[in-house]
Amino acid sequence: MNGFKVDDFVAGWIGGAASTVVGHPLDTVKTRLQAGKGYKNTFHCILTVYRKENVSGFFKGLSFPLASITLYNSVVFGVYSNMQRLIRESRTGTERRGPDLVELVLSSIAAGFISVGIGAPVDLVKIRLQMQAQPVLTENLNLAGNVPLRSVELREQQPVFRGPVQCISIIVQSEGIPGLYRGAGAMVLRDVPGYTLYFVPYTLLCDWLSPGERATLNPFYICLAGGVAGSISWVTATPADVVKSRLQADSVYQRKYKGIVHCILQSYKTDGLQVFFRGVTVNAIRGFPMSATMFLAYELSLKFFRGL
C-alpha cells in the first residue's frame, strides 16, 4: 500500500482558499435569502445589500471562512482522496485503476460526515456574521409598558459581533459548546448526499472527458467538470441548506426553532413549500465558479506537489 498522503490535504487547502474568495459574495446573498427578511428575489437581495452596505456588505464574515474553510476543504479533500485510495487498495491490492462507483460513494459519504465536525462551527459563525444588520421582525411590543403595539414592524438590527473571535466567545457564553454545533444535524443531511453529488459527477465527467489520462486533463475540462458538479451538488442540497441556515441564524435575534423537524414544519407553515428552494438560483450560479476554482486549484496544486 502507498498509504496516507499529505499532499491531498495541502492541495485541498489551496483550492479551498481560492474558492472561498470567489464564492463568498454570492454565499452572503444565499444566506440573506434563506434566513433573512424582506427580499423578493436574488436580484433584489443583491441590490439591497449593495445599496445599504456597499460592496463590503458582500464580504461580511470573509476573514473567518478564509482562515477556517481552507482547513475544512483540506480535511474534506484529504479524507476523500485517502479514503478512496484505502478502499481501492483493500479491494484490489492496487491503487491505479479507473473510477469505481462504490469507492466514490463510500469515500464521499466519509468526507461528508467528517466535514461536519469542522464545518458546523465554521458555518455557524459565518452565518451569524453575515446576518448582521438585517431587518428584524418585531411584534407584541408594549408602548410605555401598557399599550400593546398591534402592528408588526421591521427594525434594523445593529451589529452584535465585532468579529469571529467575539462571535465565538458570545456563542459559547450564551449557548455553551453545543451552541457551536447548532444546525449540525441539518448539515449532515446536506453534506453527506451533497458531497456524493459533488465528487461522483466530477470524477465521472473527468474520466469521460479524458479517459485514462486524468493527469493530463485540460484545465478547461477540469473547470467544466468541477463547475457542473458544484451546481448539481448545491441545487440538490438547497432544501437541507435552507433548514441549516435558518437554525444557525435563528438565535441571532430570538430562538424560534426547537430542532430540525420543528424548523421544517414552522418554515412550511409560514412560508409554504417554496421556502425550501430559496436561494436555489444563487446556489446554482454560485456553485459553478466556486467548484470550478476549487477543483482547478486542487488539481494543479496536486500535480505540482507530485511533480517535485
Side-chain angles (χ1 to χ4, degrees), residues 31-80:
T31 300
R32 297 284 181 92
L33 282 169
Q34 291 177 343
K37 295 280 184 182
Y39 302 118
K40 299 175 183 176
N41 50 47
T42 301
F43 187 64
H44 180 248
C45 181
I46 292 171
L47 288 178
T48 303
V49 173
Y50 178 74
R51 188 175 67 249
K52 292 186 176 182
E53 304 170 56
N54 297 316
V55 175
S56 61
F58 296 103
F59 291 92
K60 276 190 174 178
L62 175 61
S63 60
F64 185 65
L66 194 58
S68 54
I69 288 181
T70 49
L71 173 63
Y72 168 73
N73 276 279
S74 172
V75 171
V76 168
F77 274 77
V79 168
Y80 169 77

Side-chain angles (χ1 to χ4, degrees), residues 23-285:
H24 193 79
L26 283 176
D27 183 65
T28 298
V29 174
K30 178 211 69 153
T31 300
R32 297 284 181 92
L33 282 169
Q34 291 177 343
K37 295 280 184 182
Y39 302 118
K40 299 175 183 176
N41 50 47
T42 301
F43 187 64
H44 180 248
C45 181
I46 292 171
L47 288 178
T48 303
V49 173
Y50 178 74
R51 188 175 67 249
K52 292 186 176 182
E53 304 170 56
N54 297 316
V55 175
S56 61
F58 296 103
F59 291 92
K60 276 190 174 178
L62 175 61
S63 60
F64 185 65
L66 194 58
S68 54
I69 288 181
T70 49
L71 173 63
Y72 168 73
N73 276 279
S74 172
V75 171
V76 168
F77 274 77
V79 168
Y80 169 77
S81 299
N82 280 282
M83 183 65 71
Q84 187 182 8
R85 191 176 298 113
L86 177 65
I87 295 171
R88 178 171 297 180
E89 290 178 357
S90 65
R91 292 178 70 201
T92 66
T94 179
E95 181 188 348
R96 306 296 299 176
R97 194 159 56 86
D100 180 281
L101 189 58
V102 173
E103 295 167 5
L104 295 176
V105 170
L106 291 177
S107 301
S108 301
I109 290 173
F113 269 112
I114 291 176
S115 71
V116 175
I118 297 175
V122 170
D123 249 21
L124 178 72
V125 173
K126 173 179 68 67
I127 284 176
R128 296 282 174 93
L129 292 172
Q130 286 174 327
M131 289 300 295
Q132 294 194 103
Q134 286 299 283
V136 182
L137 194 63
T138 60
E139 49 189 333
N140 298 324
L141 299 177
N142 288 330
L143 187 62
N146 297 311
V147 183
L149 190 65
R150 299 194 179 278
S151 61
V152 177
E153 63 171 334
L154 288 174
R155 61 180 174 83
E156 202 72 16
Q157 174 75 8
Q158 296 301 313
V160 177
F161 312 115
R162 290 193 297 270
V165 174
Q166 188 199 31
C167 181
I168 293 171
S169 176
I170 290 175
I171 291 171
V172 172
Q173 287 175 18
S174 60
E175 304 174 54
I177 296 296
L180 291 173
Y181 287 87
R182 182 163 176 79
M187 194 170 181
V188 170
L189 296 178
R190 184 195 73 174
D191 283 2
V192 171
Y195 276 120
T196 302
L197 291 171
Y198 186 63
F199 286 117
V200 173
Y202 171 74
T203 305
L204 295 180
L205 277 170
C206 284
D207 189 63
W208 177 68
L209 290 168
S210 184
E213 297 291 337
R214 280 290 307 281
T216 59
L217 192 62
N218 188 295
F220 173 78
Y221 292 136
I222 293 175
C223 289
L224 179 62
V228 170
S231 292
I232 292 172
S233 174
W234 273 108
V235 166
T236 54
T238 296
D241 192 45
V242 170
V243 176
K244 179 197 71 68
S245 294
R246 288 189 159 216
L247 284 169
Q248 291 180 325
D250 187 18
S251 58
V252 175
Y253 313 130
Q254 58 182 355
R255 183 60 56 85
K256 295 185 294 183
Y257 308 120
K258 299 174 183 176
I260 296 174
V261 175
H262 186 247
C263 180
I264 292 172
L265 293 175
Q266 287 297 109
S267 298
Y268 175 75
K269 182 179 178 181
T270 56
D271 297 300
L273 186 63
Q274 68 271 17
V275 70
F276 300 109
F277 296 93
R278 277 187 186 174
V280 67
T281 302
V282 72
N283 266 345
I285 296 171

Side-chain angles (χ1 to χ4, degrees), residues 202 218-220 222-223 291-301:
Y202 171 74
N218 188 295
F220 173 78
I222 293 175
C223 289
S291 298
T293 305
M294 174 78 225
F295 278 108
L296 180 63
Y298 172 77
E299 295 284 8
L300 292 179
S301 299

